Amino acid sequence: MARGLTVGVLTPLLSGHYFGGLLRGVARATASAGGKVVAVQTFDPGVDEIAYLDLSDFQLPVAWQHVAGFVVILNSADRRYLDALRDAGKPVVMVSQEVPGFDCPVVLPDNQRGAQLAVEHLIEHGHERIGFVGWMAQEDIRQRHQAYQETLAAHGIPYDPGLVFPADDNVTTGGEAAAELMLGAGMPATACFCANDYNAVGLIRGLTAAGRTLPRDLALVGFDDVTAAQHVVPNLSTIDSAFDDVGQEAGEVLLAMLAGREVPPGKRYAREGQSRLVTRESCGCPPQDAGGEPQRLAAENQYLERALNSQYGITMELLRSDGNPAALQWLEHSQATSGCLGLWMPDHHAEDPLLEIVGTYHRDPAVELKPDEPVPVSAFPPAELIEESDPGAGQIAVVVPVRLRDSDRGMLAHVGPIDTQKSSIVETVNQWAALLCGMLDHRAVVTSLREQEDQLRHAALYDRLTGLPNRTLFLERVGHALGRTGDGYRFGILFLDLDGLKVVNDSLGHLAGDRLLCQVAERISAEVRPVDTPARFAGDEFAVLVDGIGDADALTAVAERLQEAIGRPHRIAGQEVVVSVSIGIAEGTSQYQSAEDLLRNADIAMYRAKARKKGSHAVFDVSMRAEAIDRLRIETELRHAVAAGQLELHYQPIVDLATGGTVAVEALLRWQHPSRGLLSPAQFLPVAEEAGLMVPIGRWVVAEACRQLAGWRRDAVVSEDLWVSINLSDRQFWYGDAAAIVAASLEHERLPARCIALEITEGVVVHDVKAAQSMLQGLHDQGLKLYVDDFGTGYSSLSVLRELPIDALKIDKSFVSDVATSARARELVRTIISMGHNLGMGVIAEGIENPVQHALLRELGCELGQGHLFSRPVRRLSPTPRPER
């Protein structure tokens, strides 16, 4: 808080004959009490004289911690703000404004006496046709118009509304508009009282331009005695309004209230009855003695030149792109002795928002004004700046919003002299604030563009999720490494493909998948040396440039270390997740011409490792390239095969082990390749999975199986009770809309749902049991049978199975093949059968090859089975398929 007494002034503008005069009067009164003054502009920079006729919506408690009470000038605060001041214990004195419902002292200029003097002077010159010009939107002007009528009446002159010429505003343009009205009416008045000097100047210009001569054609008296009144031709007779006396009266009333004296609310007129008429040439009076005129004009010219130079210097300093406008060094070009800029902290819509002091200025560089911490706006400007002011010398602290259109940056404060010479609308401080706001906006845009440029540069070379180098940067570094191989330098690259990311994404969500990728990136970075380059390409693909190591065994050791680190359990979304990584290894030698070639070979080696066993690694050799080319050819041919109808279904019977009768068939996919003959699923389905063809292929399988079954039923090849078992891939289950596809195919072929069984693997459901349960229940509710295929090879548990609407378990053939020779296998099969029956599920054994297996499975309680003992998969069913012996 500032030391001693501090008086606040809320004002629409800060300078000029009216506002500057009022501030000067308040400063004079406050200085006599040894106090300080803080003037706060409540209108945005760039406001014109029309705007301040509306009540300001300003609500910020600027300087409240320092100020004991406020003088509030003409519409600068609304009722809500005034009530808040009163609630805060701060007395209020208003100037030229009454707010309905808010009782306080109101100080007004003596418009009555001044207008009376003006009109009576024109009557003394012999005029009775006395007109009136003024902007009726302003209260002071309306009071002067009322006094004009009353003075005419007091002298027996009737009021004629036809002699009233409204101005459009309070400046010269309003007077020019009134001149047009007057000329259009045929100049009905011989004299005129103009309630504002700037209107009077405009009126003189308009009439003179039309060829009229004043005072011969129109005698004129103005009001306010502004500087411009002395320079117009003819010089303007006017009323000295002495607005500094109005401000002084308001200040003295406020000081009395702060001293505890009882001050009644209501109007009071400053210098009541003491208004002074200043006669010049426009009313018809003789010219005044111009003895001191040259010196006065010289002083005014010096003022204007100094003001122009100051504003030019400030404008150019602010517009320089190489400077920092927030530093306030541009105030050196002004008359300010000190300054302070506060920019809003986040959440500047709070009741008392914080300002970060980003720039200060003092004529003496050794003086420090900047607080260590952000300050609330109620403590702005800082007490140290207020202490720099000297109201007795006309130096006060002023605060103006740093705003421009929709941009609101903060508050600018400075200590400087009160300016009463220029027009109120030529606000230098406003220009500072508006330019400052514009330059801060410009600086913010430039900074943002630079940051975006840096971000784009970083994004072009680094992975957004993990922060590792991306493919572009990795290949660049591989290219540099290849350039060194001519000197005997060797290196290697590892291409890593994460096994299991899709399951995590499908079960726990993509956010969990992203967390897993970040953890994998961290583990890779921790296992490699600082000279190596780990990178992430896209999806689940990573790579490592191993610097200076080109030996296959050494690179393999790095790969094994990475596999061990990545294979340790990850904690994701509250669950323990285990994944593996398949790695391809390529040695960097001088035989490579490009980084892309080397990376391609590492990728090929990775696919070889994954095809052999997920979670393994392989070192590239030239034979792998031929295999990769073959795989690409298969993918291309497979895409053509789907469209060309080269896929077909074969069917393997599922029999009742007790009777040998066929109760169902399993649909098995085959590819009738035009040159390679009939291909089994193992020869092309892995390629289909990687190529994203499983969903369209699965859709075809469902439709074809239903079509074939419908035909068999029509031809009586099978009984009405026989059903077809169809395998669903992981991707078809989660993304293929299986329920809708099966329902559409059944409806198209007019088949009951009980004719179809869908087989899924344990891995489809185990990672997101809740989602799988919902989807399976929907399928089951359609009437479809549901089987778990290859049971015993996955990760499902009894607790998982009991939550799912499963009709049967299919025992994997790897267990069936050993049931006759291994006691452990036999016991495992017994356990699966018992568990299935206890859960109310049927059991189907796969891969029955001989009668001994058949007999043992019957003995263990397995009711259904399939395998070569009964029939190999066939293209078409005979009416009564026989078991093979």
Side-chain angles (χ1 to χ4, degrees):
M1 178 178 289
R3 296 188 300 271
L5 175 68
T6 300
V7 168
V9 180
L10 300 180
T11 176
L13 298 170
L14 293 163
S15 63
H17 186 77
Y18 177 68
F19 296 107
L22 292 174
L23 287 174
R24 185 167 61 185
V26 174
R28 194 162 60 214
T30 306
S32 67
K36 304 287 186 180
V37 175
V38 177
V40 180
Q41 178 174 308
T42 62
F43 282 76
D44 293 347
V47 69
D48 56 30
E49 290 209 340
I50 296 176
Y52 68 71
L53 285 180
D54 298 323
L55 274 174
S56 170
D57 59 359
F58 187 83
Q59 295 299 322
L60 293 169
V62 179
W64 282 22
Q65 291 189 33
H66 306 306
V67 171
F70 280 91
V71 172
V72 180
I73 299 174
L74 189 62
N75 293 334
S76 56
D78 62 14
R79 170 68 183 276
R80 183 164 52 130
Y81 195 92
L82 297 173
D83 286 339
L85 283 175
R86 177 167 287 171
D87 292 343
K90 301 184 184 301
V92 173
V93 174
M94 309 202 70
V95 174
S96 295
Q97 174 194 9
E98 287 184 284
V99 174
F102 187 83
D103 292 332
C104 71
V106 179
V107 179
L108 301 168
D110 188 5
N111 294 306
Q112 173 75 27
R113 179 56 180 162
Q116 179 184 345
L117 287 174
V119 175
E120 287 180 341
H121 184 68
L122 292 171
I123 293 173
E124 289 171 1
H125 277 286
H127 296 285
E128 292 187 358
R129 303 281 300 166
I130 301 172
F132 180 90
V133 170
W135 187 34
M136 294 299 189
Q138 186 171 331
E139 176 62 24
D140 281 340
I141 304 301
R142 291 195 296 270
Q143 291 178 6
R144 295 167 192 176
H145 177 252
Q146 179 66 31
Y148 154 79
Q149 295 183 64
E150 293 173 353
T151 304
L152 290 176
H155 289 269
I157 301 174
Y159 171 70
D160 183 356
L163 299 181
V164 175
F165 305 98
D168 294 338
D169 51 44
N170 242 2
V171 292
T172 55
T173 53
E176 290 169 357
E180 291 184 12
L181 294 175
M182 194 175 288
L183 289 166
M187 294 293 292
T190 63
C192 183
F193 167 46
C194 204
N196 168 277
D197 279 354
Y198 289 112
N199 281 170
V201 170
L203 183 66
I204 292 172
R205 290 176 181 172
L207 294 177
T208 302
R212 305 294 180 171
T213 302
L214 282 77
R216 185 193 68 189
D217 296 328
L218 185 77
L220 182 64
V221 177
F223 199 113
D224 287 343
D225 194 22
V226 302
T227 303
Q230 304 171 34
H231 302 306
V232 68
V233 177
N235 298 156
L236 180 65
S237 298
T238 184
I239 300 298
D240 179 6
S241 55
F243 289 120
D244 54 345
D245 289 345
V246 177
Q248 181 169 345
E249 174 95 5
E252 290 171 350
V253 171
L254 180 62
L255 290 169
M257 297 171 71
L258 291 173
R261 294 198 291 273
E262 190 71 30
V263 179
K267 297 179 181 178
R268 61 184 65 217
Y269 295 92
R271 296 177 70 240
E272 187 170 9
Q274 300 180 36
S275 295
R276 184 173 66 89
L277 174 68
V278 179
T279 58
R280 298 190 181 99
E281 299 173 22
S282 66
C283 63
C285 289
Q288 293 180 321
D289 180 14
E293 188 69 7
Q295 292 83 358
R296 181 178 58 79
L297 289 175
E300 290 178 0
N301 285 336
Q302 289 176 3
Y303 163 80
L304 292 172
E305 184 177 359
R306 184 170 61 249
L308 180 62
N309 289 338
S310 171
Q311 205 65 1
Y312 177 81
I314 289 174
T315 300
M316 296 309 297
E317 191 73 27
L318 281 169
L319 289 175
R320 288 194 178 96
S321 60
D322 57 344
N324 177 13
L328 301 190
Q329 290 307 304
W330 46 269
L331 282 175
E332 291 179 347
H333 297 277
S334 75
Q335 290 184 279
T337 59
S338 56
C340 179
L341 174 63
L343 299 185
W344 297 123
M345 300 285 286
D347 190 23
H348 69 272
H349 299 293
E351 288 187 6
D352 192 5
L354 292 176
L355 288 163
E356 181 184 6
I357 308 303
V358 298
T360 61
Y361 166 78
H362 197 280
R363 293 279 191 208
D364 182 356
V367 177
E368 178 62 50
L369 297 174
K370 183 176 180 181
D372 295 331
E373 301 292 336
V375 299
V377 73
S378 61
F380 185 86
E384 294 82 357
L385 185 135
I386 297 175
E387 294 298 328
E388 292 287 319
S389 65
D390 182 3
Q395 297 272 343
I396 65 171
V398 299
V399 181
V400 62
V402 181
R403 287 178 59 95
L404 185 63
R405 294 183 293 273
D406 295 329
S407 179
D408 184 0
R409 289 289 174 179
M411 290 283 174
L412 172 67
H414 80 278
V415 171
I418 301 167
D419 192 336
T420 62
Q421 290 185 263
K422 59 180 173 294
S423 167
S424 297
I425 62 171
V426 185
E427 282 279 6
T428 55
V429 179
N430 271 323
Q431 187 182 16
W432 301 352
L435 276 171
L436 177 59
C437 186
M439 293 312 300
L440 290 172
D441 286 346
H442 171 73
R443 189 178 180 87
V445 169
V446 171
T447 300
S448 177
L449 289 174
R450 287 173 179 168
E451 290 174 351
Q452 291 178 35
E453 184 179 345
D454 291 341
Q455 291 170 2
L456 288 172
R457 187 181 296 110
H458 188 275
L461 298 175
Y462 290 88
D463 175 53
R464 177 191 59 80
L465 178 64
T466 65
L468 294 178
N470 64 10
R471 184 187 186 95
T472 300
L473 182 55
F474 183 81
L475 288 173
E476 181 181 311
R477 293 186 179 178
V478 172
H480 289 321
L482 283 174
R484 299 169 58 191
T485 55
D487 299 328
Y489 169 80
R490 296 188 64 190
F491 67 99
I493 63 173
L494 310 181
F495 194 100
L496 292 72
D497 187 87
L498 200 60
D499 305 313
L501 175 64
K502 178 182 176 301
V503 175
V504 173
N505 282 336
D506 292 345
S507 58
L508 302 180
H510 285 273
L511 181 59
D514 288 347
R515 291 175 181 169
L516 174 62
L517 289 170
C518 290
Q519 290 189 17
V520 169
E522 290 171 0
R523 294 189 185 185
I524 292 173
S525 298
E527 292 298 327
V528 301
R529 302 165 300 164
V531 295
D532 300 331
T533 300
R536 178 187 175 227
F537 291 171
D540 53 7
E541 294 180 345
F542 294 83
V544 178
L545 167 61
V546 183
D547 184 72
I549 299 176
D551 177 69
D553 291 339
L555 293 172
T556 298
V558 176
E560 290 172 346
R561 191 166 67 247
L562 288 171
Q563 287 175 321
E564 189 278 329
I566 295 171
R568 294 195 298 269
H570 299 258
R571 193 71 181 173
I572 305 291
Q575 297 192 35
E576 192 173 86
V577 174
V578 177
V579 294
S580 61
V581 63
S582 301
I583 302 179
I585 304 169
E587 303 173 55
T589 64
S590 57
Q591 70 181 17
Y592 287 101
Q593 298 300 311
S594 73
E596 287 281 4
D597 290 342
L598 182 58
L599 183 62
R600 179 201 61 210
N601 288 347
D603 190 9
I604 290 172
M606 183 277 295
Y607 273 108
R608 164 64 73 85
K610 185 184 285 285
R612 184 171 61 236
K613 180 184 178 183
K614 288 184 177 181
S616 64
H617 54 268
V619 179
F620 175 80
D621 63 55
V622 291
S623 66
M624 294 180 181
R625 185 174 300 158
E627 293 179 5
I629 294 173
D630 185 58
R631 177 190 170 280
L632 179 61
R633 178 176 54 81
I634 291 174
E635 178 182 331
T636 303
E637 292 176 346
L638 183 56
R639 292 183 184 276
H640 175 72
V642 175
Q646 296 174 5
L647 300 181
E648 57 186 44
L649 293 181
H650 289 204
Y651 301 89
Q652 185 172 44
I654 299 174
V655 303
D656 186 322
L657 295 184
T659 66
T662 299
V663 297
V665 293
E666 180 179 1
L668 301 170
L669 184 63
R670 299 291 186 268
W671 179 9
Q672 188 63 53
H673 194 279
S675 61
R676 300 171 62 188
L678 191 66
L679 302 181
S680 68
Q683 294 174 281
F684 63 88
L685 280 188
V687 176
E689 184 74 40
E690 294 169 7
L693 295 173
M694 287 307 299
V695 171
I697 289 175
R699 189 182 303 117
W700 177 86
V701 168
V702 171
E704 177 63 15
C706 290
R707 186 194 66 79
Q708 186 68 71
L709 178 59
W712 289 335
R713 287 163 64 98
R714 285 193 302 270
D715 297 340
V717 173
V718 299
S719 70
E720 295 290 321
D721 296 329
L722 181 135
W723 68 88
V724 175
S725 185
I726 301 171
N727 292 278
L728 289 184
S729 68
D730 292 13
R731 186 172 294 276
Q732 190 178 4
F733 178 79
W734 288 109
Y735 304 109
D737 200 5
I741 289 173
V742 174
S745 297
L746 289 173
E747 182 179 1
H748 185 267
E749 302 297 343
R750 298 182 179 179
L751 291 172
R754 59 181 171 79
C755 291
I756 298 296
L758 300 178
E759 298 187 14
I760 59 172
T761 62
E762 295 174 80
V764 171
V765 299
V766 68
H767 288 286
D768 193 347
V769 176
K770 187 174 182 180
Q773 181 184 22
S774 176
M775 296 176 68
L776 289 171
Q777 191 64 54
L779 294 167
H780 202 267
D781 290 344
Q782 289 185 25
L784 303 169
K785 298 178 177 65
L786 299 176
Y787 298 165
V788 176
D789 194 17
D790 300 332
F791 187 78
T793 61
Y795 305 97
S796 61
S797 63
L798 184 62
S799 63
V800 172
L801 286 176
R802 71 182 182 183
E803 299 294 330
L804 304 176
I806 300 299
D807 295 291
L809 305 176
K810 297 191 74 173
I811 305 174
D812 187 70
K813 61 185 178 181
S814 62
F815 302 125
V816 173
S817 64
D818 295 334
V819 72
T821 58
S822 169
R824 294 183 65 181
R826 191 160 49 252
E827 187 57 36
L828 180 58
V829 170
R830 184 198 308 277
T831 300
I832 294 174
I833 294 171
S834 175
M835 181 175 66
H837 289 165
N838 289 337
L839 292 174
M841 302 174 186
V843 181
I844 304 170
E846 297 182 294
I848 302 175
E849 305 290 339
N850 57 62
V852 177
Q853 295 170 346
H854 180 191
L856 283 172
L857 288 165
R858 283 189 60 191
E859 181 183 331
L860 293 173
C862 183
E863 56 264 43
L864 300 178
Q866 64 187 97
H868 291 175
L869 175 65
F870 309 109
S871 173
R872 293 180 180 276
V874 295
R875 184 74 179 90
R876 294 177 177 81
L877 294 184
S878 60
T880 54
R882 302 292 184 183
E884 296 181 5
R885 299 292 182 181

